[in-house]
């Protein structure tokens, strides 16, 4: 649903600005929202046939956090345009929510879609996902610190509603951040089991944003490096080790309430049911790592490379005996028992961007972490300052965003931020 900001009315479909954005962004200017019923019906039938691969967009929490981790990622950070106003921001979030609610169900961004509009006008949808199932697509939105206030001031009248904990992350030892791969007013995390479905989502959301927000940076990822359900096998990172063995799982309600979801009593009230997202692009020095002895690799991680068992004994699921591990091993330093019980929900992906100018592999981990309080990540990252793994990795990109709770049907993500503001 989209809303007439002045009158407070809601109407179905993309706003006129959203449709004009599609046209200006390289396609999709058909303003009629009716029609295309045959294609919508076909998509609905595909959705029914692949019900296990469909995740609801509307709900208590945004999908894409505790959802079973998919195989592919397309993450994008956006900045609002300099002359945009409060109405532009609200309308953009409405348009994005409407389009995301359709795409996650295997539908096109509007009823006319890729082929249902007039032949003399660009189509509303780019069409590369036609015939493909929903592929477990999730779309998750977040708000960065600069959305609330930047060098231009309080652009959208929400400065006093900024979460006190939503601050740009402090500098960490050894990081070498690229500003062109960091931060952003808004972020969109898209995950799917088909890379074409994921790219289609970001491509069309970018077009809808035209004139109101512009892409700041983006990242493709593949091969999940953590799990969120017990049924999923623990995946491996590009160093060849199992990753995320002790991750918080979707059915661990208490752990989620304690460590991931912002509670009703937390400040601010509008963020209750949401979370804080930290993204870090971590380059891996692949060629250097590949020359390290197996025994040394295992000592650095604190786990054996085959089974994933802690070097203190047992199987992958055995709780590590921390005194039995190197004091600076990754597992020992990151373990909750070494950090006052602190835990985060990890949702990372591998990435490979070809080779750099030196002929080395441009590859690494795109690390995503959800937590109730950003201090959880900050404390863990500071603890890892003496991690043996640091010799083989470099943090090159970073960002933090407040991720609102899920939207109810007919509303939009972030609506509570603007309510009574």
């Amino acid at each position: 649903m989209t809303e007439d900001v002045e009158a407070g009315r809601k109407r179905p479909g993309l706003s006129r600005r959203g449709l004009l954005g599609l046209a200006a962004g390289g396609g999709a200017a058909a303003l009629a929202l009716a029609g295309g019923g045959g294609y919508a019906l076909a998509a609905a039938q595909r959705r029914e046939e692949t019900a296990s691969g469909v995740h609801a967009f509307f709900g208590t929490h945004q999908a894409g956090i505790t959802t079973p981790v998919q195989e592919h990622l397309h993450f994008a950070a956006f900045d609002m345009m300099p002359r945009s106003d409060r109405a532009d921001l609200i309308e953009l979030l409405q348009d994005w929510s409407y389009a995301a609610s359709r795409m996650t169900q295997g539908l096109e961004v509007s009823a006319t879609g890729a082929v249902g509009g007039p032949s003399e006008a660009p189509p509303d949808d780019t069409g590369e996902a036609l015939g493909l199932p929903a592929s477990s697509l999730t779309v998750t939105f977040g708000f960065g610190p600069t959305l609330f206030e930047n060098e231009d001031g309080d652009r959208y009248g929400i400065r006093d509603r900024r979460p006190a904990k939503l601050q740009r992350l402090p500098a960490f030892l050894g990081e070498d951040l690229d500003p062109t791969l960091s931060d952003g007013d808004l972020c969109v995390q898209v995950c799917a089991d088909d890379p074409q479905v994921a790219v289609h989502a970001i491509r069309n959301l970018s077009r809808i944003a035209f004139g109101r927000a512009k892409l700041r940076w983006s990242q493709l990822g593949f091969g999940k490096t953590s799990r969120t359900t017990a049924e999923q096998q623990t995946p491996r990172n590009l160093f060849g080790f199992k990753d995320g063995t002790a991750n918080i799982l979707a059915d661990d309600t208490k752990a989620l309430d304690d460590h991931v979801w912002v509670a009703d009593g937390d400040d601010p009230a509008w963020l209750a049911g949401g979370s804080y997202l930290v993204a870090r692009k971590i380059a891996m020095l692949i060629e250097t790592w590949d020359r390290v002895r197996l025994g040394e690799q295992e000592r650095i991680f604190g786990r054996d490379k085959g089974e994933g068992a802690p070097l203190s004994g047992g199987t992958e699921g055995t709780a590590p005996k921390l005194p039995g591990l190197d004091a600076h091993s990754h597992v020992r330093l990151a373990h909750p028992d070494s950090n006052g019980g602190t835990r985060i929900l990890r949702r990372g992906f591998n990435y490979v961007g070809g080779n750099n100018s030196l002929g080395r592999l441009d590859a690494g981990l795109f690390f995503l972490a959800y937590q109730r309080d950003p201090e959880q990540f900050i404390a863990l990252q500071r603890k890892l300052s003496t991690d043996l793994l640091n010799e083989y990795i470099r943090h090159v990109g970073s960002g933090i965003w407040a991720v609102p709770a899920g939207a109810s049907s007919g509303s939009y993500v972030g609506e509570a931020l603007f309510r009574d503001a």
Side-chain angles (χ1 to χ4, degrees):
M1 305 289 282
T2 60
E3 179 178 328
D4 183 324
V5 176
E6 296 294 329
R9 294 189 296 270
K10 295 183 178 180
R11 60 185 185 278
L14 293 171
S15 69
R16 181 177 178 84
R17 287 287 302 278
L19 289 166
L20 290 173
L22 290 172
L31 298 183
L33 291 178
Y39 297 100
L41 177 61
Q45 290 171 339
R46 292 198 305 272
R47 179 173 75 249
E48 189 171 332
E49 293 168 359
T50 59
S52 63
V54 174
H55 297 294
F57 177 76
F58 298 109
T60 304
H61 307 290
Q62 288 196 64
I65 302 175
T66 61
T67 308
V69 185
Q70 303 94 319
E71 292 297 330
H72 299 276
L73 167 80
H74 196 169
F75 188 94
F78 291 82
D79 283 336
M80 294 296 294
M81 296 297 286
R83 288 181 293 278
S84 60
D85 59 21
R86 181 187 178 94
D88 291 328
L89 174 58
I90 292 174
E91 193 176 67
L92 173 61
L93 294 172
Q94 291 171 334
D95 286 348
W96 270 359
S97 295
Y98 173 76
S101 72
R102 290 182 58 88
M103 291 189 290
T104 54
Q105 305 308 294
L107 301 172
E108 298 157 78
V109 296
S110 75
T112 54
V115 295
S119 59
E120 63 275 12
D124 283 357
D125 188 286
T126 49
E128 70 272 23
L130 279 175
L132 298 177
S135 302
S136 300
L137 175 69
T138 57
V139 182
T140 313
F141 300 106
F143 304 158
T146 51
L147 185 68
F148 296 84
E149 184 179 17
N150 68 1
E151 61 274 10
D152 296 323
D154 183 9
R155 297 169 290 171
Y156 310 115
I158 55 176
R159 175 170 52 195
D160 61 346
R161 298 176 73 84
R162 171 178 172 172
K165 297 174 181 177
L166 185 63
Q167 304 287 340
R168 197 170 188 274
L169 293 172
F172 296 109
L173 185 66
E175 67 182 7
D176 184 19
L177 301 182
D178 182 344
T180 67
L181 299 173
S182 301
D183 305 321
D185 292 343
L186 301 163
C187 77
V188 185
Q189 173 198 282
V190 168
C191 302
D193 287 329
D194 185 326
Q196 189 149 320
V197 170
V199 170
H200 169 264
I202 290 294
R203 179 180 177 185
N204 283 272
L205 293 174
S206 298
R207 293 165 66 238
I208 290 170
F210 186 84
R212 293 173 287 185
K214 60 182 178 180
L215 188 67
R216 179 182 176 94
W217 60 271
S218 68
Q219 179 65 53
L220 291 170
F222 70 94
K224 58 181 180 285
T225 62
S226 58
R227 60 175 185 158
T228 53
T229 67
E231 293 75 25
Q232 291 180 308
Q233 290 192 355
T234 308
R236 294 181 185 271
N237 57 37
L238 293 182
F239 282 162
F241 278 77
K242 289 187 176 182
D243 215 341
T245 295
N247 200 27
I248 297 175
L249 301 183
D251 60 357
D252 193 344
T253 304
K254 185 178 187 311
L256 291 171
D257 288 342
D258 289 346
H259 302 288
V260 178
W261 304 129
V262 175
D264 288 336
D266 293 346
D267 182 61
W270 69 262
L271 192 54
S275 190
Y276 290 93
L277 167 63
V278 170
R280 303 281 285 184
K281 184 171 183 177
I282 305 172
M284 292 178 165
L285 308 183
I286 298 292
E287 291 79 7
T288 303
W289 176 262
D290 289 345
R291 292 192 292 270
V292 176
R293 294 181 296 106
L294 174 60
E296 178 66 6
Q297 290 184 354
E298 293 180 328
R299 183 177 75 89
I300 290 169
F301 267 97
R303 292 185 179 275
D304 74 63
K305 197 168 187 176
E307 162 70 19
L311 295 185
S312 55
T315 62
E316 181 194 344
T318 302
K321 299 175 183 177
L322 300 188
L325 306 178
D326 189 291
H328 300 289
S329 66
H330 184 72
V331 167
R332 181 164 178 175
L333 290 175
H335 196 275
D337 288 352
S338 299
N339 295 279
T342 297
R343 301 179 69 189
I344 58 177
L345 188 152
R346 297 184 50 184
R347 198 178 175 89
F349 290 83
N350 297 314
Y351 75 85
V352 174
N355 294 78
N356 61 26
S357 59
L358 299 176
R360 296 171 182 166
L361 199 61
D362 173 17
L365 167 68
F366 193 72
F367 179 89
L368 297 165
Y370 287 90
Q371 47 270 306
R372 180 176 172 179
D373 186 332
E375 186 58 39
Q376 295 165 238
F377 173 82
I378 293 169
L380 284 171
Q381 191 59 37
R382 284 175 172 161
K383 185 75 172 184
L384 293 172
S385 64
T386 61
D387 191 347
L388 293 170
L389 197 57
N390 289 341
E391 185 176 346
Y392 306 96
I393 61 174
R394 296 288 183 274
H395 289 242
V396 296
S398 180
I400 182 171
W401 295 268
V403 176
S408 58
S409 181
S411 185
Y412 62 96
V413 170
E415 185 270 339
L417 169 62
F418 301 94
R419 192 189 306 143
D420 303 322

